[in-house]
Amino acid sequence: MKSNKDLAARRAAAVPVGVGSATAIYADKAEGAELWDVEGRRYIDFAAGIAVVNVGHRHPRIIEAVQSQLGRFSHTGFQVAPYENYIALAERLNEAAPLDGQAKSIFFTTGAEATENAVKIARAATGRSGVIAFTGGFHGRTLLASAMTGKTNPYKTQFGTMPGDVFHAPFPARGISVADSLRALDLMFAADVDPSRVAAIIIEPIQGEGGFRVTPKELLEGLRERCTRHGIMLIADEVQTGFARTGKLFGIEHSGVKPDLISVAKALGGGFPLSGVVGRAEVMDSVRPGGLGGTYGGSPLACAAGLAVLDVIESEKLCERAERIGQIVSERVAGWTSRSDLVPVGKAHGLGAMIGFDLLKGHGSEEVEAGGAGRVCAKATEAGLIVLSCGVLGETVRLLPPLTISDDLLNEGLDLLEKALKA
Ligand code: PMP
């Protein structure tokens, strides 16, 4: 039998340290909300491959859709011999996306490609280059995406000059109010970049890697107003928030604000590499033929999976389920906040089943414990639960269970997490 230790040793010799892993286990198989490592040990999965398998591992309808496509062809290249399921998926997203007027969609492979292409489209549509993002935001690891990401270490520190014309406004968290945030943006327009030079403002409806901080509706409204006033494209980065995770198909629907462009990835493909940009049709059509695309963009296997994911979200009412999961988790976390036998934690924050809590410096303290979440997650994995940390300071434990998880498995996972919180 293969062991985690042997694979770790082979990995150390063969794979650079630049790609990290949250756990020291090596996956053998996964089903629903459970995963088994190469040593046969079972884990409950509260990571879902970082918000990817919202429909659970190996959902039968996804497997069936991909197998059926695999029987016909696996790759022709949409840029060579296009195919129907790409168009069908675009039609479904155009119909569902919270945008003003007619929409169009284009597909890529990774989340970083989605955010970068959203910016390219915004630049073509406006004839401008400036991009404004937020501190603590995460938009991917390719160069422009790294530049937009609002955290230097480890995303920018070692990588030299970042692509230009990218600016950061302070995200309203950690003592910064929405008014502070909007005032800083207006000062930025006065001091750094005239709004007439700004192509796009990109923001996550809930900061994911940045700590599961819900973007206040008032900030999104303030951004929408400024974008409309100055002809700037508002990009909602829904890579992590999309596809029922927050209790709506798109996280920004909670605010009622309509963006111009939406970057999507992760859960859309249900485990198959798929990303895209959905946007207002006239904005999407501003790029000349050939300016967008990619060899694997909108792979027919991934599009087949994407269509099945949308069907499952509807037929299994996963938006409602996400809300219920969020309630169960926040009630449980609320009980932990007053327990002196546990390490100090704050109350849950997030929306739907995109929910986390902070480790605190002391019981009753408001100050977060930097790096505290990683220690809890490591103990949880030892206990049999895969769960991830996030937050600019590594202070947040984030729960991203598959939305198809049963109440029993969810509660079993929460029991393991409680065990990991024992002081
Ligand atoms: N945007 C957001 C909001 C994300 O959470 C992520 C991934 N965590 C990305 C972009 C980048 O996606 P990918 O890793 O697929 O490039």
Side-chain angles (χ1 to χ4, degrees), residues 19-39:
V19 54
S21 296
T23 72
I25 62 167
Y26 287 79
D28 180 44
K29 61 177 182 169
E31 195 81 42
E34 293 166 290
L35 186 153
W36 287 262
D37 73 4
V38 289
E39 296 174 10

Side-chain angles (χ1 to χ4, degrees), residues 50 110-113 115 138-141 204 209 237 239-240 265-266:
I50 323 185
T110 66
E113 260 186 299
T115 60
F138 186 88
H139 303 291
R141 287 182 176 83
E204 297 157 88
E209 304 305 313
D237 183 356
V239 167
Q240 194 159 159
K266 288 188 186 278

Side-chain angles (χ1 to χ4, degrees), residues 4 17 36 58 62 94 101 112 151 161 196 199 208 210 239 291 297 303 362 390:
N4 292 315
V17 295
W36 287 262
R58 288 176 38 80
I62 314 297
N94 298 343
K151 186 177 176 192
T161 308
S196 67
V239 167
C303 287
C390 64

Side-chain angles (χ1 to χ4, degrees), residues 169-189:
F171 185 80
R174 286 168 280 273
I176 296 167
S177 69
V178 170
D180 294 338
S181 203
L182 289 171
R183 197 174 320 120
L185 181 62
D186 292 335
L187 282 172
M188 185 190 289
F189 286 156

Side-chain angles (χ1 to χ4, degrees), residues 7 43 109 165 171 205 270 297 308 351 379 386:
L7 286 171
Y43 296 83
T109 311
D165 248 1
F171 185 80
L351 284 171
K379 278 175 77 179
I386 300 174

Side-chain angles (χ1 to χ4, degrees), residues 111-410:
E113 260 186 299
T115 60
E116 294 231 358
N117 278 286
V119 171
K120 282 176 65 178
I121 294 165
R123 285 186 170 184
T126 58
R128 310 167 180 180
S129 57
V131 179
I132 296 171
F134 284 82
T135 55
F138 186 88
H139 303 291
R141 287 182 176 83
T142 51
L143 264 179
L144 175 63
S146 297
M148 295 192 292
T149 289
K151 186 177 176 192
T152 49
N153 194 19
Y155 305 122
K156 308 191 213 203
T157 313
Q158 294 184 291
F159 306 119
T161 308
M162 289 285 127
D165 248 1
V166 177
F167 304 86
H168 287 89
F171 185 80
R174 286 168 280 273
I176 296 167
S177 69
V178 170
D180 294 338
S181 203
L182 289 171
R183 197 174 320 120
L185 181 62
D186 292 335
L187 282 172
M188 185 190 289
F189 286 156
D192 280 329
V193 59
D194 192 85
S196 67
R197 285 224 309 104
V198 178
I201 297 180
I202 184 165
I203 190 159
E204 297 157 88
I206 302 178
Q207 282 200 340
E209 304 305 313
F212 278 28
R213 314 275 155 202
V214 180
T215 303
K217 174 178 156 59
E218 297 72 28
L219 178 65
L220 292 168
E221 286 167 350
L223 297 180
R224 179 66 271 173
E225 187 277 317
R226 282 160 180 79
C227 284
T228 303
R229 179 152 42 105
H230 298 299
I232 298 168
M233 296 296 120
L234 181 62
I235 304 172
D237 183 356
E238 295 262 8
V239 167
Q240 194 159 159
T241 47
F243 306 103
R245 174 54 58 188
T246 70
K248 305 259 186 213
L249 201 59
F250 296 91
I252 198 155
E253 289 176 62
H254 291 277
S255 71
V257 168
K258 294 190 169 167
D260 300 290
L261 295 162
I262 304 175
S263 51
V264 295
K266 288 188 186 278
L268 175 61
F272 292 82
L274 180 63
S275 71
V277 179
V278 191
R280 293 199 290 115
E282 67 269 27
V283 175
M284 295 294 285
D285 274 333
S286 40
V287 179
R288 278 183 222 131
L292 300 172
T295 304
Y296 292 110
S299 145
L301 298 173
C303 287
L307 285 165
V309 164
L310 294 178
D311 287 343
V312 170
I313 288 174
E314 252 174 58
S315 64
E316 298 186 19
K317 298 191 168 44
L318 293 187
C319 286
E320 284 96 319
R321 182 63 190 152
E323 290 289 359
R324 181 69 193 129
I325 290 171
Q327 276 168 4
I328 295 173
V329 171
S330 39
E331 278 164 25
R332 194 69 186 266
V333 175
W336 294 340
T337 57
S338 55
R339 292 257 306 262
S340 57
D341 59 323
L342 304 180
V343 295
V345 300
K347 64 181 194 323
H349 48 83
L351 284 171
M354 184 165 178
I355 194 156
F357 59 89
D358 297 348
L359 277 295
L360 303 177
K361 275 220 182 319
H363 290 281
S365 166
E366 302 237 307
E367 222 183 312
V368 299
E369 172 76 357
R375 290 193 287 277
V376 170
C377 294
K379 278 175 77 179
T381 308
E382 273 170 40
L385 174 73
I386 300 174
V387 63
L388 302 173
S389 66
C390 64
V392 174
L393 302 170
E395 74 278 29
T396 308
V397 174
R398 60 168 146 171
L399 281 66
L400 289 166
L403 306 176
T404 50
I405 194 169
S406 65
D407 279 3
D408 281 353
L409 274 182
L410 181 62

